């Protein structure tokens, strides 16, 4: 088996930590760099998420605390390891926050990526897997949306634009220099957590995404969920999205690492389940998984939201030999295991 | 009259130096920062372009050699002056080069702008005039093109994408924080030079734009001009563009400074003449102005080029009270004066 050494930027984060576990399970060697801007370190001398990853896998993980915009730090990490790949999950990710503080988002996400690419080039590491988002599509012209859909139009927030801009930068890179292999993974909505309940999504402050909010209501940390928009053209009037189990997402990254190793040039894939569930579907599923009643209030539409969005994920199935295996109930059960055993996160 | 102190990034460059002269002529106080990446300093202790600006205007200019990505340097400049406005002309600008070295373009143009905006915010300077480009429109759906035309689609090179990305960043900034006043100036094709012939376009290496190339042929530095594409749907089959005298462009910047001072929020204007001239028109006009025969070879189309592009510039006329005053002959005569009296640039 290939012995890949993979730098995971943002490896202490929600998606990153699950990717690291999956890499370890597959016998690869992940190395984490994280600045803990989205996650909480915990109180011990070693970040709690790392201790948990080591408990799950029985393996040690090399970890650097640092910001990818800090070039000397990044160069130092590249000096110590011969990375075959980078999985680039680091970035700020709250849509609403990005509207309020755009410079910070552009600096962190776009600036961070540019710095990372410069250092990768300096150390001749040309394989990168990027955490993109279905947001790059803007409002969909057709559903299920596939990778032929145009991108970059009608994106209503800086977060989404940073994802689009980074995709374009990576695209231009593969045009300029055939050494580069780039896999853009367009995430739909990751939910759930590792089966152990030891790692999971650990939002700071008020969760910006639906399911962390719902699970915090289930566990009693918050009173009720606000459902934004009840008059959309969907079966129950609430917004429909494509939710994907974070374990499926993680295995998609490992498949992308293997794809890049083939010398793939530029590739881009939807990582979604292909199924759409409404906000009310999700609340009900979480009630079932948790055995708790989840209070919710109906509210008006939120600006910039769309009615429905879900993936055609067949390209990833054909080319990455990957598909989402875990259904809605499993997502909610696993999320609940994490939430109920860690009601306040790490 | 208002006593504005204006930081001009890239103030030693072609457009920047003409903007500085115009600011001085209007009684404003420009301060230059430039890293001399596109321009040549000359041999003296003071950059030649500054000596020339001072000769033209009879006034001293404050100048800093530095890169806008170097935050401490930029902060230091902001500490020494209370800027009311920034005119941001700094940036890499060669389309072909940008395809070969995209990371450098994204780093310099996008990264540089982000750093500049951070420092502006830190020092509460919220008025910025940005050197954008007609390139942001991509291939035009209609002509003459006006500011209602969509942007960002079909841009075929990283240079153009950096202009588009920066426009979006500045747009998001004005949405987030009403303190900001942003004027995006979408340049068409600047040509010509100051009447004195003392300052002008001074490209390093092979000129990437038509008219510097044509004038170098006229002055005997190069053998002949290559005309890319002779079968476009234009009167003579060669590409049609909108050329604007750099002195008109410069006065447009001063008008934009005044606009920003009114508290304009986000504004964007085409700066063009509104007229389209073909490549052969331009060569003929330069022959007339220089009295030299200009050899040219007809060649195939260049990938990414379009048939015609010219501005509807009435919005700038209405809102900035500005329009291009100088015609084709004057552009070529002024260019020739600069080129013939400085055959090898500064």
């Amino acid at each position: 088996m290939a012995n890949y050494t993979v730098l995971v930027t943002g490896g202490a984060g929600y998606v990153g930590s699950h990717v690291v576990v999956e890499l370890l399970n597959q016998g690869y060697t992940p190395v984490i760099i994280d600045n803990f801007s989205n996650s909480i370190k915990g109180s011990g001398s070693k970040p709690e998420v790392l201790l948990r990853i080591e408990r799950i896998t029985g393996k040690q993980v090399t970890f650097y605390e640092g910001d990818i915009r800090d070039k000397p730090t990044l160069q130092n990490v590249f000096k110590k390891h011969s990375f075959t790949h980078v999985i680039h999950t680091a970035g700020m990710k709250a849509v609403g926050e990005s509207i309020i503080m755009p410079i910070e988002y552009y600096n962190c996400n776009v600036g961070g990526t540019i710095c990372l690419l410069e250092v990768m080039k300096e150390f001749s590491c040309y394989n990168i897997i990027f955490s993109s988002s279905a947001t790059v599509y803007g409002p969909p012209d057709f559903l299920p949306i596939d990778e032929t859909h145009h991108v970059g139009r009608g994106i209503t927030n800086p977060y989404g634009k940073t994802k689009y801009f980074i995709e374009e930068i990576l695209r231009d890179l593969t045009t300029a220099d055939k050494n580069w292999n780039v896999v853009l993974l367009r995430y739909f909505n990751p939910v759930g957590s590792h089966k152990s309940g030891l790692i999971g999504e650990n939002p700071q402050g008020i969760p910006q995404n639906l399911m962390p909010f719902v699970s915090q209501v289930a566990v009693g940390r918050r009173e009720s969920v606000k459902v934004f928009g009840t008059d959309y053209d969907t079966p129950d009037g609430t917004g429909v999205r494509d939710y994907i189990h974070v374990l499926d997402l993680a295995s998609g990254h490992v498949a992308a690492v293997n794809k890049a190793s083939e010398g793939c040039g530029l590739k881009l894939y939807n990582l979604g389940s292909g199924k759409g569930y409404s906000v009310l579907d999700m609340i009900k599923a979480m009630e079932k998984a948790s055995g708790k009643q989840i209070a919710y209030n109906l509210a008006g539409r939120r600006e910039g939201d769309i009615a429905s969005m879900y993936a055609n994920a067949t390209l990833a199935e054909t080319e990455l030999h990957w598909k989402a295996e875990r259904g809605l109930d499993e997502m909610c059960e696993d999320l609940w295991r994490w939430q109920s055993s860690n009601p306040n996160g790490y």
Side-chain angles (χ1 to χ4, degrees), chain A:
Chain A
M1 204 195 62
N3 185 14
Y4 297 136
T5 303
V6 183
L7 179 66
V8 183
T9 70
Y14 173 44
V15 172
S17 60
H18 286 85
V19 167
V20 168
V21 167
E22 185 65 14
L23 288 168
L24 288 166
N25 286 342
Q26 304 261 345
Y28 299 162
T29 307
V31 172
I32 294 175
I33 184 166
D34 203 296
N35 70 356
F36 286 95
S37 74
N38 283 334
S39 45
I40 295 157
K41 278 179 78 171
S43 51
S45 63
K46 204 169 189 179
E48 184 63 25
V49 59
L50 291 195
L51 298 174
R52 303 275 183 104
I53 290 172
E54 294 178 354
R55 252 173 81 189
I56 291 170
T57 61
K59 296 177 183 175
Q60 297 283 310
V61 193
T62 307
F63 164 77
Y64 297 91
E65 182 166 356
D67 194 297
I68 57 166
R69 287 166 292 182
D70 177 359
K71 202 168 193 177
T73 295
L74 203 54
Q75 286 166 321
N76 205 36
V77 173
F78 274 79
K79 266 181 211 148
K80 291 196 180 154
H81 304 271
S82 281
F83 295 119
T84 54
H85 303 74
V86 173
I87 297 179
H88 179 31
T89 79
M92 295 171 83
K93 58 177 184 176
V95 168
E97 183 183 67
S98 78
I99 295 170
I100 297 164
M101 38 197 279
I103 308 184
E104 288 78 357
Y105 271 72
Y106 288 113
N107 184 342
C108 175
N109 293 8
V110 179
T113 301
I114 291 170
C115 185
L116 175 64
L117 294 173
E118 287 178 330
V119 176
M120 287 179 69
K121 189 176 168 186
E122 184 185 337
F123 287 87
S124 301
C125 174
Y126 292 109
N127 299 315
I128 182 166
I129 320 303
F130 174 60
S131 299
S132 188
S133 165
T135 315
V136 301
Y137 292 120
D141 283 353
F142 56 84
L143 288 172
I145 200 161
D146 66 32
E147 294 84 351
T148 65
H149 190 280
H150 58 72
V151 292
R153 300 188 199 166
I155 303 174
T156 53
N157 60 79
Y159 162 76
K161 288 188 201 172
T162 66
K163 294 295 179 188
Y164 169 59
F165 291 179
I166 294 166
E167 282 203 358
E168 292 298 302
I169 292 169
L170 291 167
R171 182 187 300 272
D172 290 340
L173 206 56
T174 57
T175 304
D177 182 349
K178 298 302 171 199
N179 283 313
W180 285 94
N181 298 299
V182 170
V183 185
L184 309 176
L185 298 179
R186 293 180 178 157
Y187 299 179
F188 283 69
N189 298 270
V191 296
S193 62
H194 190 262
K195 294 289 170 190
S196 62
L198 286 170
I199 60 174
E201 189 165 11
N202 186 29
Q204 291 179 311
I206 299 166
Q208 303 282 316
N209 295 319
L210 176 68
M211 291 311 283
F213 203 109
V214 167
S215 70
Q216 289 192 5
V217 173
V219 87
R221 270 177 76 181
R222 302 195 183 270
E223 290 236 328
S224 67
V225 183
K226 229 178 193 162
V227 178
F228 296 101
T230 56
D231 57 352
Y232 285 114
D233 181 19
T234 59
D236 65 20
T238 66
V240 165
R241 296 291 181 274
D242 182 325
Y243 295 88
I244 175 171
H245 198 297
V246 70
L247 289 177
D248 284 327
L249 199 69
S251 67
H253 287 72
V254 178
V257 163
N258 296 336
K259 189 73 189 172
S261 310
E262 295 170 7
C264 65
L266 179 74
K267 291 286 180 181
L268 41 100
Y269 301 107
N270 285 343
L271 292 190
S273 70
K275 293 183 190 71
Y277 292 105
S278 76
V279 176
L280 296 181
D281 290 338
M282 297 306 289
I283 292 174
K284 272 176 232 152
M286 196 63 193
E287 283 186 330
K288 183 176 155 200
S290 65
K292 309 278 181 186
Q293 212 186 328
I294 296 169
Y296 61 89
N297 304 310
L298 304 178
R301 294 184 183 193
R302 209 165 36 175
E303 207 187 311
D305 276 355
I306 54 183
S308 295
M309 184 70 169
Y310 49 95
N312 176 329
T314 53
L315 188 66
E317 194 172 346
T318 311
E319 296 195 2
L320 289 183
H321 315 295
W322 169 94
K323 65 174 182 175
E325 307 277 0
R326 296 162 180 91
L328 182 58
D329 286 342
E330 192 171 348
M331 294 181 208
C332 292
E333 286 158 16
D334 294 343
L335 170 56
W336 179 243
R337 193 175 306 109
W338 154 253
Q339 184 68 71
S340 55
S341 48
N342 303 272
N344 297 305
Y346 292 118

